[in-house]
Amino acid sequence: MKKRVLLASAAILSTTVSLASLPASAALPMAVDGQQLPSLAPMLENVTPAVVSISVNGTQVSRQRVPEMFRYFFGPNAPEEQVRERPFRGLGSGVIIDADKGYIVTNHHVIDGADTIKVGLNDGREFEAKLIGSDSDSDVALLQIEAKRLTQVHKANSDKVRVGDFTVAIGNPFGLGQTVTSGIVSALGRSGLGIESLENFIQTDAAINSGNSGGALVNLRGELVGINTAIVAPGGGNVGIGFAIPINMVDNLVDQILEFGEVRRGVLGVLGRELDNELAQAFGLETKHGAFVSQVMEDSAAAEAGLEAGDIIVSINGNPIKSFQALRAKVGTYGAGAKVTLGVIRDGKKKNFKVTLAQADMETASAENMHPSLTGATLANGDNSVIIREVAPNSPAAAVGLKKGDEILGVNRTRIKGLKSLRDTLDDTQGAIALNVKRDNSQLYIVLR
């Protein structure tokens, strides 16, 4: 049975391989019959300095609830759960997308839970990186280093990539050092794999192995077409099925992270399913690709634009949509407020609808992006309030007195309605900040430092 294999190495390799000296071989000819031999070397000399290695260190925290029958023996102060901390180390890859500002793109799963992130350049230099922001649903993270003489990679338009295009994967598999492999684009718009929440992958047969996560997938012009993210293999090794996140999707997410410090996901407001042969025949359609709309939500962006149940969405901004999952991924990586044009088949006729995407309701959020003193707390929307789902031990949130189960009702004397309202109110509040918190059956104020 196939399984997902994350490409970030679970641990840094602790052994080294000593290669025996090889006899010198005769120089290979540079040309045959006057014709220059083809080589990727000139292109790679320009691109490989933009691909970096990433090493992380962190602490993995696991919690296990202590059964009540055991807590009885330790008296009334016995803990309700047992907390275990285990250090971990990991490896991955990254791509420099802005040499002047030191921005590096990698995968979220490469840096997830890391306390320290170090970036190794192709020239041997090493720097500690700052995490600017990340998005677990799409598996994208943005780092920054302070360094001079960096090389950035040029980007392709990944919407123009075709099956059969030659590709080159660059990364650091198994911590061995920078490695280059080549292949072709095997498929486009891969989704429904259960690898990420938002999936619209480029599939390639260029050899990808553990440690390649966050590395570059480039075309023969040395332009970045995608960020390598996962492989599917029965035994955990390369079998010629690798997946990369299209760079256009990555760009949309990076723009939001830079502007807001997080991804503010757009939402269309439709429910649906894949367009299969049965549906296509029922609607008299020749196409077998698209997203069938079964329901349009009230007061949604789709309803405002005029979409209806029974519509079949076949393109977004002129680019074909193969499935409902691909539509979801495309829309989910556009920011709230983005204007898109949907190609729709209705009653056998092609129509275009201009849609302004609404902002998705935030269901949960890591609070450090709202205020430094909230770092370590996980928040969720409540009923005209914000619920504290978790508080990490020894975190700033725990230090100010927040506890799991607390309900934030307001900031100073301003009532809040949810996560977005809390964020906006904190942004607008000058001076001292006190959270109005409901705990059990009482209310109190907790001052943020």
Side-chain angles (χ1 to χ4, degrees):
M1 183 175 65
K2 293 184 177 180
K3 63 179 180 179
R4 176 192 182 186
V5 182
L6 294 183
L7 307 185
S9 298
I12 294 178
L13 297 178
S14 59
T15 60
T16 59
V17 179
S18 177
L19 299 177
S21 58
L22 299 175
S25 60
L28 294 175
M30 297 298 295
V32 175
D33 294 332
Q35 297 294 319
Q36 190 76 19
L37 291 176
S39 174
L40 297 177
M43 177 272 286
L44 291 170
E45 288 170 358
N46 294 324
V47 175
T48 51
V51 181
V52 304
S53 65
I54 296 176
S55 59
V56 301
N57 289 274
T59 303
Q60 194 172 48
V61 179
S62 62
R63 292 179 172 85
Q64 184 175 7
R65 187 172 179 82
V66 179
E68 192 168 344
M69 61 179 293
F70 291 110
R71 294 203 304 270
Y72 171 81
F73 294 103
F74 295 96
N77 296 323
E80 294 185 1
E81 61 181 11
Q82 186 179 31
V83 180
R84 292 181 179 178
E85 296 184 354
R86 184 178 64 181
F88 72 89
R89 297 185 295 171
L91 290 175
S93 306
V95 183
I96 300 172
I97 59 170
D98 190 321
D100 293 333
K101 297 180 179 178
Y103 290 140
I104 297 170
V105 168
T106 185
N107 287 138
H108 169 82
H109 75 257
V110 171
I111 52 82
D112 187 25
D115 296 324
T116 60
I117 305 171
K118 291 187 177 180
V119 169
L121 303 184
N122 196 34
D123 60 12
R125 289 182 291 165
E126 188 174 83
F127 300 89
E128 188 159 338
K130 173 185 177 183
L131 175 62
I132 303 299
S134 67
D135 179 50
S136 59
D137 287 343
S138 58
D139 202 15
V140 169
L142 181 66
L143 310 177
Q144 185 177 32
I145 60 174
E146 293 184 5
K148 297 180 179 179
R149 305 189 314 278
L150 296 178
T151 299
Q152 70 185 49
V153 67
H154 296 287
K155 300 171 189 173
N157 181 354
S158 57
D159 289 331
K160 302 300 182 183
V161 173
R162 300 178 300 172
V163 173
D165 285 350
F166 286 103
T167 55
V168 177
I170 311 171
N172 295 274
F174 305 114
L176 294 173
Q178 194 172 87
T179 301
V180 176
T181 56
S182 66
I184 63 169
V185 173
S186 306
L188 296 169
R190 286 296 195 208
S191 60
L193 304 172
I195 296 174
E196 311 294 353
S197 296
L198 299 176
E199 298 180 342
N200 186 34
F201 293 125
I202 298 170
Q203 182 180 326
T204 181
D205 66 349
I208 296 175
N209 288 288
S210 182
N212 274 103
S213 276
L217 186 70
V218 302
N219 58 27
L220 293 189
R221 290 185 294 273
E223 298 168 332
L224 186 65
V225 298
I227 299 297
N228 300 322
T229 188
I231 58 176
V232 171
N238 169 65
V239 293
I241 302 178
F243 300 103
I245 306 169
I247 192 58
N248 288 10
M249 289 178 57
V250 174
D251 267 349
N252 290 334
L253 296 164
V254 166
D255 288 345
Q256 295 171 58
I257 290 172
L258 288 175
E259 184 174 358
F260 307 114
E262 63 178 4
V263 172
R264 295 190 176 180
R265 211 174 304 286
V267 63
L268 182 59
V270 298
L271 300 178
R273 52 174 290 191
E274 315 303 339
L275 179 64
D276 54 21
N277 288 331
E278 186 178 349
L279 270 176
Q281 290 177 4
F283 282 81
L285 300 174
E286 295 182 359
T287 180
K288 301 298 187 293
H289 298 296
F292 178 77
V293 178
S294 60
Q295 182 180 353
V296 177
M297 311 304 290
E298 292 184 7
D299 302 322
S300 65
E304 186 174 335
L307 268 70
E308 299 176 357
D311 286 344
I312 298 165
I313 301 174
V314 294
S315 68
I316 181 168
N317 290 340
N319 299 305
I321 292 293
K322 287 192 171 184
S323 65
F324 193 86
Q325 289 289 339
L327 171 68
R328 180 174 174 268
K330 282 271 193 179
V331 170
T333 50
Y334 283 113
K339 300 180 186 299
V340 299
T341 300
L342 298 180
V344 173
I345 295 178
R346 179 184 293 173
D347 299 327
K349 297 179 180 180
K350 179 76 175 292
K351 296 185 176 183
N352 290 324
F353 292 85
K354 295 186 181 298
V355 184
T356 301
L357 300 179
Q359 181 167 339
D361 292 333
M362 293 183 293
E363 296 178 358
T364 62
S366 294
E368 57 265 29
N369 291 326
M370 295 190 182
H371 192 282
S373 293
L374 296 179
T375 301
T378 301
L379 312 179
N381 279 319
D383 185 11
N384 288 323
S385 64
V386 169
I387 306 297
I388 307 292
R389 286 275 179 86
E390 297 287 345
V391 177
N394 303 319
S395 66
V400 298
L402 287 171
K403 295 184 178 181
K404 179 180 178 180
D406 283 352
E407 186 175 6
I408 302 175
L409 305 177
V411 176
N412 294 346
R413 295 185 180 275
T414 303
R415 182 78 186 192
I416 65 167
K417 296 181 179 180
L419 286 168
K420 184 177 184 302
S421 175
L422 174 61
R423 183 188 304 278
D424 293 342
T425 304
L426 288 172
D427 288 343
D428 294 339
T429 301
Q430 302 293 327
I433 295 177
L435 301 181
N436 182 8
V437 173
K438 180 180 179 182
R439 180 177 296 166
D440 298 327
N441 294 320
S442 61
Q443 291 191 30
L444 64 151
Y445 277 92
I446 292 180
V447 178
L448 302 186
R449 299 165 183 170

